[in-house]
Amino acid sequence: MPVSGEAGTGPDEHARTGLPDAGPEAAGPGPGAATVLHSLDGGVSWITLNRPEAMNAVTWDQRERIIALLADASADPGVRAVVLTATGRGFCAGADLRGAPAPARERVPGDVARTIRLGAQRLIAAVLDCEKPVIAAVNGTAAGIGAHLAFACDLVLAADTATFIEVFVRRGLVPDGGGAYLLPRLVGPQRAKELMFFGDALTAADAERLGLVNRTVPGGELEALAEEWAGRLAAGPTRALALTKQLVNASLDGDRATAFAAEAAAQEINMTTRDANEGVASFVERRSPEYRGC
């Protein structure tokens, strides 16, 4: 997949909160190493976590870099789709807390909630709110916030060796990073509780069966499939896709009247775009449309 050496900065000490079998603690990449790789290729923004020795447990700096890149993707007309993936055998093993700024004082009530709200929840919201379709290409283990990062994406592709783990219960913790919001909407409340109550590892095949993953492929085919799907999205009517994403994400949070009103408003907005008019014209003229993302 296309990558270049853009990265977050700051400490890379490893403090995994997610995965028991990620191997011994290891120092992160040295100063200046690229812990988040980024490139733009054919209208596709590739965002790649790059701390394979730490199973891509995400640091404070990496989180902020991903949030910034997703915001950039929304604002840049040259970006028409996003792929979120990782290097090595882990997609994301959870949160690495040692990269966070040191607290200036002793913790008081409200600090934990504020940390989650401004941290893990901002990361998940950045994916959900990105105005371009986001594909997760899950190359390996996705645990804790790493699993939620994948589930927040619009489409999820997984290597057949990937696993998904709601690891919080293993640590005596409540799921955060939007897990209790995302999972019931994807698999229903009973399945969500089963995953969260027991914290068992879920294979990629089982995740696909439950509807958490769109496609499972051999690991060697994951990049090619991500490129194919992202290319199709990048060639599509970008604003229509953005409005469709917004409608679907909001559909389970309101009543039918609200959903119908939002749908009508979205179509009204979309019909002002060049791509909508091109789509209608190409149908009338019996030719393939040429969408420009505007």
Side-chain angles (χ1 to χ4, degrees):
M1 66 197 64
V3 291
S4 67
E6 293 188 75
T9 57
D12 285 310
E13 298 164 296
H14 186 204
R16 280 190 308 273
T17 60
L19 195 66
D21 60 347
E25 288 195 357
T35 60
V36 177
L37 306 176
H38 177 248
S39 69
L40 180 61
D41 181 56
V44 180
S45 174
W46 289 80
I47 302 172
T48 305
L49 291 171
N50 187 40
R51 295 182 67 224
E53 76 292 335
M55 294 286 284
N56 292 303
V58 67
T59 66
W60 186 92
D61 291 300
Q62 286 177 299
R63 183 193 74 208
E64 294 304 305
R65 181 67 178 140
I66 294 167
I67 291 171
L69 287 170
L70 289 167
D72 290 346
S74 289
D76 185 353
V79 175
R80 299 176 65 181
V82 177
V83 176
L84 183 60
T85 190
T87 58
R89 64 190 182 94
F91 175 73
C92 178
D96 183 337
L97 302 181
R98 292 191 191 178
R105 52 168 173 73
E106 183 179 351
R107 192 172 74 192
V108 297
D111 283 351
V112 172
R114 187 179 309 106
T115 297
I116 291 170
R117 188 168 62 248
L118 299 179
Q121 290 177 352
R122 278 181 58 241
L123 176 61
I124 299 306
V127 178
L128 293 169
D129 294 340
C130 182
E131 295 178 27
K132 308 299 166 62
V134 182
I135 297 173
V138 182
N139 55 296
T141 300
I145 187 65
H148 300 167
L149 184 60
F151 298 153
C153 292
D154 303 302
L155 300 168
V156 182
L157 308 176
D160 55 7
T161 54
T163 56
F164 299 85
I165 311 173
E166 286 296 317
V167 77
F168 299 93
V169 69
R170 299 186 186 184
R171 306 290 178 261
L173 300 174
V174 173
D176 62 31
Y181 174 85
L182 293 167
L183 276 168
R185 286 162 169 76
L186 293 169
V187 299
Q190 276 72 33
R191 288 291 192 185
K193 290 171 189 174
E194 178 183 347
L195 294 171
M196 291 179 167
F197 285 2
F198 295 115
D200 294 333
L202 189 68
T203 66
D206 284 340
E208 182 177 5
R209 177 177 56 82
L210 291 177
L212 291 168
V213 168
N214 294 88
R215 297 283 188 280
T216 299
V217 294
E221 299 176 14
L222 181 64
E223 178 182 332
L225 183 59
E227 288 181 349
E228 178 192 342
W229 281 33
R232 291 177 64 186
L233 292 170
T238 306
R239 294 312 304 164
L241 292 174
L243 290 165
T244 301
K245 172 176 178 171
Q246 187 179 74
L247 287 173
V248 173
N249 285 353
S251 65
L252 296 177
D253 298 329
D255 56 23
R256 184 182 68 183
T258 301
F260 277 21
E263 176 187 278
Q267 194 68 287
E268 177 75 24
I269 294 168
N270 188 62
M271 288 307 298
T272 67
T273 67
R274 183 262 176 202
D275 280 351
N277 287 283
E278 165 64 7
V280 173
S282 66
F283 173 77
V284 172
E285 296 165 12
R286 298 187 179 184
R287 58 176 175 80
S288 298
E290 295 183 7
Y291 296 124
R292 298 180 184 174
C294 57

